[in-house]
Amino acid sequence: MKEVGVALIGHRFMGRAHSNAYRQVVPFFRPRLTPRMRVLCGRDRKAVSRAAQELGWEEAATDWREVVNRPDVDLVDISTPGDSHAEIAIAAARAGKAILCEKPLANSVREAEAMLKAVEKAGVVHMLCHNYRRIPAVMLAKRLIDEGEIGTVHHFRGTYLQDWILDPDLPLLWRFQKAKAGSGALGDIASHSLDLGRFLVGEIAEVAGALETFIKTRPLVDNPKKKGRVTVDDASAAVVRFANGALGTIEGTRMAAGRKNYNRFEVNGSRGSIAFDLERMNELQVYLSSDPAPVRGFRTILVTDPDSHPYIRAWWPPGHIIGYEHTFVHTVYDLLEGIAKGKSPRPNFADGVANQRVLAAWEKSARSRRWQKV
Ligand SMILES: NC(=O)c1ccc[n+]([C@@H]2O[C@H](COP(=O)([O-])OP(=O)(O)OC[C@H]3O[C@@H](n4cnc5c(N)ncnc54)[C@H](O)[C@@H]3O)[C@@H](O)[C@H]2O)c1
């Protein structure tokens, strides 16, 4: 089986999730191409060497510029904070490498457009890691909507709620700094809901957005006695109009006490509704108004049937549920198949640009307190 040499930049949260995916994909999915985990890159020599050993990488490195130009690397996986995505992706494209980039694609529309231009010019395969698209229940939602089962879509309601930043003593991590993260809850988690909205319903034409920063300063990471300014939103909410006429609401906050990773959506159509909640990710709630009246109501489908539901065949028998890490294995599998065919799977950098335009319009609308065209 032909090998694809992989370089992964970043070795913490997403670095671990992606490493696991490269290790799992071959035994379960038998892709046409085998990822060879050549090199893991970070900034701290000791930390990256340890991570490389733990996560199964052949080598560790500290200079991404050197790594993306290595002849034994075919795929560059960008799992670093947003401020480095554009520079790494453009260099990787110029070196002719396929690219998997974590979300959000960049910290600005300008950067995102430059990344798209670079991958198109180089003719390399590119993919954006909005892994939630690849949950079997979410794919079933997409299929039901596309096949018209719930009729004309009227509403999309996406909420992504967490509470891990409630403590004011939580230090000023990179996620609180606009120069590094681009935005706060907006790009971090609302971007996932917005990507799901585009995946399920279609393009967003207009947005009326709001952003709020409740905790304005936080202790510095290196000097907790001193405080620094939070330059991103803690919470974000928007009303959106889809090009097809559907009306949506999207909310992303890291200040919702008790909500840990509450990534939920509901789609209401002229003939039914669909609801999904990541914390019950093997299930899909479906309501069809065509059901006989006495038994009409939301039903819960356990989306684990290998014959009817995507990706499940590679895993376990029906009812033997899958979890968070599987979404990354599915992403990597589709990426490898994309590389084999020379076709960029979606979401790709073009989706990243489209998402970034909505995020930018949302921020602009929050500042002007007016509707903003995308
Ligand atoms: N798909 C998802 O569900 C999901 C979840 C969390 C984070 N993310 C995204 O993944 C990316 C990384 O987030 P994370 O949570 O893994 O962050 P993290 O802080 O856990 O890890 C960041 C890693 O990047 C490395 N890094 C930073 N700058 C670097 C540089 N210049 N060169 C080499 N390495 C560098 C750090 O050493 C660290 O290993 C972000 O874009 C984030 O939005 C996506």
Side-chain angles (χ1 to χ4, degrees):
M1 209 186 292
K2 223 178 128 204
E3 282 182 347
V4 171
V6 185
L8 171 63
I9 327 285
H11 57 82
R12 289 181 62 203
F13 183 15
M14 280 308 103
R16 297 183 80 83
H18 291 210
S19 297
N20 178 64
Y22 293 116
R23 288 197 312 265
Q24 301 282 343
V25 71
V26 171
F28 286 92
F29 281 87
R30 300 193 191 96
R32 277 175 262 192
L33 300 173
T34 299
R36 180 152 171 191
M37 297 166 73
R38 291 267 188 201
V39 55
L40 180 65
C41 182
R43 289 164 304 175
D44 179 81
R45 164 67 57 193
K46 217 167 130 192
V48 71
S49 298
R50 197 176 147 193
Q53 217 171 22
E54 279 176 2
L55 301 172
W57 293 87
E58 290 173 14
E59 287 175 53
T62 52
D63 180 1
W64 65 258
R65 284 181 181 82
E66 193 190 307
V67 159
V68 302
N69 284 300
R70 277 172 56 148
D72 61 352
V73 165
D74 309 295
L75 164 64
V76 173
D77 180 328
I78 306 170
S79 293
T80 56
D83 62 332
S84 50
H85 290 187
E87 212 184 351
I88 301 174
I90 291 167
R94 284 189 185 141
K97 315 299 185 187
I99 306 170
L100 174 62
C101 185
E102 262 304 340
K103 49 51 59 179
L105 184 60
N107 281 0
S108 68
V109 173
R110 199 163 53 84
E111 282 176 353
E113 286 173 347
M115 292 165 80
L116 177 61
K117 205 168 144 194
V119 290
E120 284 179 342
K121 187 170 173 205
V124 297
V125 168
H126 48 98
M127 188 179 191
L128 177 65
C129 189
H130 274 297
N131 46 307
Y132 297 127
R133 286 194 185 201
R134 288 181 160 75
I135 295 170
V138 173
M139 306 275 290
L140 177 60
K142 164 93 174 141
R143 187 174 128 194
L144 295 176
I145 293 167
D146 287 354
E147 289 175 356
E149 292 292 339
I150 63 162
T152 304
V153 173
H154 294 142
H155 293 294
F156 172 79
R157 207 166 293 108
T159 44
Y160 202 145
L161 316 179
Q162 300 179 340
D163 72 353
W164 64 278
I165 71 166
L166 270 174
D167 179 1
D169 290 331
L170 186 71
L172 193 74
L173 309 166
W174 68 263
R175 283 190 157 83
F176 296 112
Q177 301 169 40
K178 192 170 176 61
K180 296 209 169 114
S183 63
L186 179 66
D188 190 16
I189 50 179
S191 67
H192 275 305
S193 296
L194 122 69
D195 183 71
L196 287 173
R198 286 187 52 252
F199 179 52
L200 296 167
V201 179
E203 294 305 330
I204 292 170
E206 239 186 330
V207 47
L211 300 173
E212 190 56 63
T213 306
F214 298 106
I215 299 174
K216 315 269 189 231
T217 61
R218 289 185 179 272
L220 299 181
V221 175
D222 302 330
N223 183 2
K225 287 202 179 97
K226 272 192 145 174
K227 285 200 168 184
R229 204 160 67 84
V230 172
T231 45
V232 300
D233 55 289
D234 289 336
S236 56
V239 182
V240 299
R241 261 186 232 289
F242 288 85
N244 62 11
L247 187 63
T249 55
I250 302 176
E251 183 187 10
T253 176
R254 306 186 288 203
M255 299 283 278
R259 296 298 184 196
K260 302 303 169 186
N261 202 35
Y262 189 78
N263 175 2
R264 189 180 181 281
F265 66 75
E266 185 163 312
V267 185
N268 311 117
S270 55
R271 294 211 306 268
S273 290
I274 288 173
F276 170 81
D277 172 3
L278 180 70
E279 290 175 354
R280 305 190 69 87
M281 66 169 267
N282 290 271
E283 298 174 358
L284 193 69
Q285 304 277 327
V286 178
Y287 172 89
L288 297 176
S289 28
S290 55
D291 282 345
V295 293
R296 193 181 302 146
F298 272 96
R299 68 182 81 161
T300 303
I301 300 165
L302 186 62
V303 191
T304 59
D305 186 334
D307 295 327
S308 314
H309 303 135
Y311 304 114
I312 292 296
R313 187 181 292 281
W315 299 109
W316 316 115
H320 295 62
I321 53 175
I322 60 166
Y324 178 68
E325 71 274 25
H326 296 80
T327 64
F328 296 96
V329 186
H330 302 170
T331 300
V332 161
Y333 170 64
D334 287 337
L335 172 64
L336 291 169
E337 292 297 287
I339 295 173
K341 292 184 224 148
K343 192 165 185 290
S344 300
R346 293 188 69 184
N348 53 40
F349 284 20
D351 291 287
V353 168
N355 289 350
Q356 209 75 45
R357 287 187 179 138
V358 179
L359 296 176
W362 188 325
E363 282 187 286
K364 208 166 167 189
S365 160
R367 279 196 302 272
S368 68
R369 300 188 173 223
R370 287 172 187 280
W371 279 91
Q372 188 66 45
K373 290 218 181 319
V374 174

